[in-house]
Amino acid sequence: MKHSNYLLGIILLFTVVSCAKQGTPMGGPKDEDPPKLLSINPSNESTNVKPSIIELEFDEYVKAETPNKQIIITPRINKDEMEVTTNKNRVIINLNQELEDSTTYVFNFQKSIKDITENNIPDNLKLVFSTGPNIDSLSFSGNVSYILPQKQKNITDVLVGLYAENDTTNVLTATPYYIGQTDSIGNFNLSNIKAGNYRAYAWHDQNNSLKAEEKQEEYGFISDTISISENVTDAKLYLSKADLSAFKINRASASGQNFDIYLSKYPTDIIIDHQDINKSLFYRQNEKTIRLYHTSIINDSTAVKLMLRDSVGFKLDTIVYAKFEESDRKNEKLETTVKAKRNFLKEIEAEIKFNKPINNVNYDSLYIKYDSASYIPIKPEMLSFKDSLDRTLISIAVNVPDSLKQEEYTLYAMDSTFQDIEGEFNTTKIENLFRKLDPETLAEEIKITVNTENLPIIVQIIDKKDEVVAEQYLTETNVAIFKNLEAATYYIRAILDLNKNRRWDTSNMNENRQAEPIYYLENKESDNPKDTIIRGGWSLDVTIDPQKIPGIPKIKENIMK
């Protein structure tokens, strides 16, 4: 009897343990199947419905992750009012708002719903229904690309949106009426659109706000209003950064013996108008701050006229009353930074950037060394300021005679070679090594024809570090010829300089102005189509073709003037 009770106890114990351990078994194959939708209410493509709650049922337990951000709903509703909950295998969406009459709604769930075990996502989960008798069926499709090449090969987190023509909001201020996402190569298709007139935008939605942040995110637009009465195809949009925030002086104040002007944005053009400029009044730019120096005015102020321009073309013309006060503050040290092409054929070129305006150069301690006892003296005519008003950037160009056979040369500047307008000297010497190239290792000639009649054109050859190694500014021809390029892999591009300011300019949506076009030499059959390989001894004759302009092809006749 005792043995029977003992056996019974063991059996009961194993039964309890077994029951307690019921659940997901350890090991076994990984669950790679996404949740399957069993039912949805209202049903997909239903009409004459105006739900306040949407319910989805799946074949397994699911969860919802950031649904108010992840779920794309068109036309837009107030998603801040929407509540999304899960209960085992069900997702319940309480809209908490009235939907519009006779309107087709599309809920694109993207990656908002996942199973609870392996985070598998349902395939192409979407709900379409209409509050009226018909499902809107028009579409808007095309492609989005970046004007400037991105480090990532695939396009990610890029959205396309349509705003009603009479909507007072835009891509910078509110989410669009219709919205969709591009694929990895920039193609998009917005469906179930109601006939009407719209404005189209695209943007990189890095922070998932469903609108563009003008200071951080690239965006683009189509200049003309789009009339959608039939399917619109082949739309083209280009993305670039364009900061349309106000360009202004945030504050201005004395800083030691100097005067600082703090701007809201980085200025691309600076003109300072004053009778003492570069005589006793000097300036330097450090990001968004302009510092004024005056060598003779102490404890007094003077009117200085500023004429500034930012990257989108906004102008700031104003007068500041700069006060220069006596101060015991110690002067800032003079610092130097050298930027140079390390390899050369006939001429050594370098730029020296200073943190303060330069007043004097001691040429006795500035030269090119090519062995322990020989050097090429650098003379005043070999130096120039890149901008006559900006005395913080000096360009150096030194011709090396063919009679010198050395391979290595060193730009040398001893300490105390340069003196700034406050009387400070550089305390660190400069030594930059250069290597003379063998002409036989260089490409003989690269002839580049830009297939456009628009002039002027900036033609650039850019290395893999995104540095311009050669550039030509074409004003009378569309053909650029480069000689003696080093063997390497480059980007070759052409910029249409529409405003003739010798640089690329981004868009200005407020002025309905597109960014200046950039055309790249491309090999469509290559894995890296923008790469151009140049080898020593080569001669190339290539043509850069224009890229598609932003907008809708005119032959579609769906652009409203």
Side-chain angles (χ1 to χ4, degrees):
M1 185 68 177
K2 288 182 179 181
H3 290 290
S4 299
N5 291 338
Y6 179 72
L7 290 172
L8 181 59
I10 291 176
I11 292 171
L12 289 173
L13 177 62
F14 274 103
T15 302
V16 170
V17 171
S18 176
C19 292
K21 289 187 177 180
Q22 283 184 356
T24 303
M26 298 296 291
K30 181 180 178 180
D31 178 15
E32 296 182 351
D33 295 328
K36 293 181 181 179
L37 183 67
L38 300 178
S39 66
I40 189 167
N41 186 22
S43 59
N44 191 40
E45 297 192 351
S46 57
T47 58
N48 292 315
V49 295
K50 191 177 282 189
S52 59
I53 294 177
I54 296 172
E55 295 189 36
L56 300 89
E57 184 180 2
F58 297 89
D59 66 341
E60 60 179 310
Y61 286 10
V62 292
K63 59 184 177 182
E65 290 188 354
T66 60
N68 291 59
K69 290 185 176 181
Q70 289 275 359
I71 301 174
I72 293 180
I73 303 171
T74 58
R76 69 178 177 222
I77 68 171
N78 186 357
K79 293 204 292 182
D80 291 337
E81 299 292 329
M82 187 175 73
E83 295 178 344
V84 180
T85 58
T86 59
N87 183 7
K88 297 181 180 180
N89 65 333
R90 295 169 63 240
V91 177
I92 301 99
I93 303 172
N94 196 329
L95 299 177
N96 292 320
Q97 58 201 285
E98 187 77 11
L99 300 180
E100 296 180 20
D101 294 331
S102 300
T103 300
T104 299
Y105 284 90
V106 179
F107 284 67
N108 191 330
F109 292 91
Q110 298 197 102
K111 300 178 181 180
S112 62
I113 299 175
K114 304 176 180 180
D115 65 31
I116 63 172
T117 55
E118 300 293 344
N119 290 323
N120 295 315
I121 301 167
D123 295 328
N124 301 317
L125 184 58
K126 190 165 82 168
L127 168 64
V128 179
F129 64 86
S130 175
T131 58
N134 300 307
I135 297 285
D136 294 324
S137 58
L138 296 176
S139 65
F140 173 63
S141 61
N143 179 266
V144 180
S145 59
Y146 289 89
I147 292 181
L148 299 174
Q150 303 297 295
K151 292 181 180 179
Q152 291 182 336
K153 186 174 182 179
N154 293 331
I155 290 178
T156 58
D157 300 322
V158 170
L159 302 179
V160 179
L162 294 176
Y163 293 74
E165 180 185 25
N166 58 359
D167 195 335
T168 57
T169 64
N170 60 40
V171 69
L172 301 178
T173 58
T175 58
Y177 196 68
Y178 291 102
I179 190 171
Q181 192 164 23
T182 70
D183 62 16
S184 61
I185 59 174
N187 294 328
F188 67 88
N189 183 22
L190 276 62
S191 59
N192 302 105
I193 299 173
K194 182 186 295 186
N197 299 328
Y198 300 93
R199 291 174 288 116
Y201 302 86
W203 68 101
H204 178 213
D205 192 27
Q206 186 175 6
N207 64 355
N208 202 21
S209 66
L210 301 185
K211 61 185 182 70
E213 311 297 332
E214 59 188 343
K215 293 184 179 182
Q216 291 88 28
E217 297 174 342
E218 293 93 341
Y219 64 94
F221 59 95
I222 291 178
S223 299
D224 299 312
T225 299
I226 302 169
S227 178
I228 300 182
S229 57
E230 59 182 4
N231 293 340
V232 175
T233 60
D234 296 328
K236 184 65 184 181
L237 297 99
Y238 291 97
L239 307 181
S240 62
K241 285 187 178 179
D243 183 0
L244 295 176
S245 62
F247 188 32
K248 61 184 179 179
I249 295 176
N250 287 334
R251 64 185 178 92
S253 62
S255 177
Q257 296 184 97
N258 309 311
F259 190 81
D260 286 347
I261 303 164
Y262 299 91
L263 304 171
S264 62
K265 291 195 284 184
Y266 183 94
T268 56
D269 295 316
I270 299 175
I271 297 177
I272 296 179
D273 188 7
H274 192 276
Q275 67 272 14
D276 295 336
I277 191 68
N278 279 355
K279 298 174 184 176
S280 53
L281 178 68
F282 305 87
Y283 86 93
R284 74 108 185 265
Q285 176 192 353
N286 185 4
E287 296 296 331
K288 295 185 290 185
T289 303
I290 296 174
R291 171 166 287 182
L292 301 178
Y293 303 81
H294 208 296
T295 57
S296 61
I297 294 179
I298 300 295
N299 295 328
D300 201 356
S301 61
T302 183
V304 179
K305 185 174 182 181
L306 300 177
M307 290 167 281
L308 312 175
R309 186 189 296 265
D310 71 1
S311 61
V312 295
F314 289 164
K315 296 179 181 179
L316 179 59
D317 294 348
T318 188
I319 293 176
V320 296
Y321 290 88
K323 187 170 185 179
F324 301 93
E325 301 176 341
E326 190 173 357
S327 174
D328 295 330
R329 182 184 296 182
K330 191 175 181 180
N331 290 338
E332 186 180 8
K333 290 183 178 181
L334 179 61
E335 298 175 352
T336 62
T337 305
V338 179
K339 181 180 179 182
K341 297 178 181 178
R342 300 294 183 179
N343 302 330
F344 73 97
L345 185 62
K346 293 182 177 294
E347 190 174 64
I348 291 175
E349 297 179 348
E351 290 182 349
I352 303 178
K353 178 69 176 177
F354 302 90
N355 63 325
K356 298 162 67 178
I358 294 302
N359 198 28
N360 292 306
V361 178
N362 179 10
Y363 289 94
D364 291 338
S365 58
L366 181 63
Y367 46 85
I368 302 292
K369 292 197 307 182
Y370 56 89
D371 64 30
S372 58
S374 303
Y375 64 92
I376 303 171
I378 295 179
K379 301 176 181 180
E381 59 268 24
M382 300 175 183
L383 267 62
S384 62
F385 289 107
K386 205 165 186 180
D387 182 337
S388 60
L389 292 179
D390 182 4
R391 299 178 69 90
T392 65
L393 183 61
I394 289 180
S395 296
I396 298 176
V398 180
N399 185 67
V400 177
D402 292 336
S403 58
L404 296 180
K405 303 303 181 183
Q406 283 79 0
E407 291 186 359
E408 293 186 347
Y409 298 78
T410 301
L411 168 64
Y412 190 86
M414 296 174 60
D415 58 280
S416 301
T417 297
F418 303 102
Q419 185 183 31
D420 66 38
I421 49 85
E422 292 185 311
E424 301 295 324
F425 292 92
N426 63 299
T427 58
T428 304
K429 66 180 179 180
I430 295 173
E431 285 187 287
N432 264 69
L433 184 66
F434 295 83
R435 183 173 62 88
K436 192 172 185 179
L437 295 168
D438 180 355
E440 294 185 1
T441 67
L442 306 178
E444 291 183 2
E445 179 180 287
I446 310 299
K447 181 180 179 182
I448 302 167
T449 302
V450 185
N451 192 9
T452 179
E453 296 179 356
N454 292 314
L455 296 172
I457 306 170
I458 306 169
V459 180
Q460 296 177 329
I461 298 181
I462 302 166
D463 65 17
K464 283 297 187 175
K465 296 179 181 179
D466 290 329
E467 295 181 356
V468 177
V469 300
E471 178 178 291
Q472 290 187 21
Y473 191 72
L474 307 180
T475 58
E476 298 179 353
T477 177
N478 63 342
V479 179
I481 297 176
F482 296 89
K483 295 180 180 292
N484 300 319
L485 281 172
E486 289 186 71
T489 300
Y490 299 101
Y491 296 138
I492 299 178
R493 71 184 181 190
I495 301 171
L496 299 192
D497 188 22
L498 302 180
N499 61 2
K500 301 180 180 181
N501 66 352
R502 293 180 174 265
R503 67 164 182 261
W504 175 77
D505 289 289
T506 189
S507 65
N508 186 322
M509 191 171 65
N510 291 350
E511 299 175 1
N512 204 26
R513 187 184 73 238
Q514 295 288 339
E516 289 180 321
I518 302 179
Y519 306 150
Y520 286 87
L521 180 64
E522 294 192 54
N523 178 6
K524 300 293 186 182
E525 298 179 359
S526 172
D527 291 336
N528 298 296
K530 288 184 173 66
D531 284 358
T532 298
I533 298 173
I534 295 177
R535 293 190 169 92
W538 275 19
S539 292
L540 288 180
D541 189 345
V542 295
T543 299
I544 298 179
D545 290 317
Q547 309 219 1
K548 183 183 286 188
I549 63 173
I552 312 293
K554 298 297 182 181
I555 58 173
K556 297 295 182 182
E557 297 184 352
N558 50 21
I559 296 291
M560 293 186 61
K561 299 294 184 183

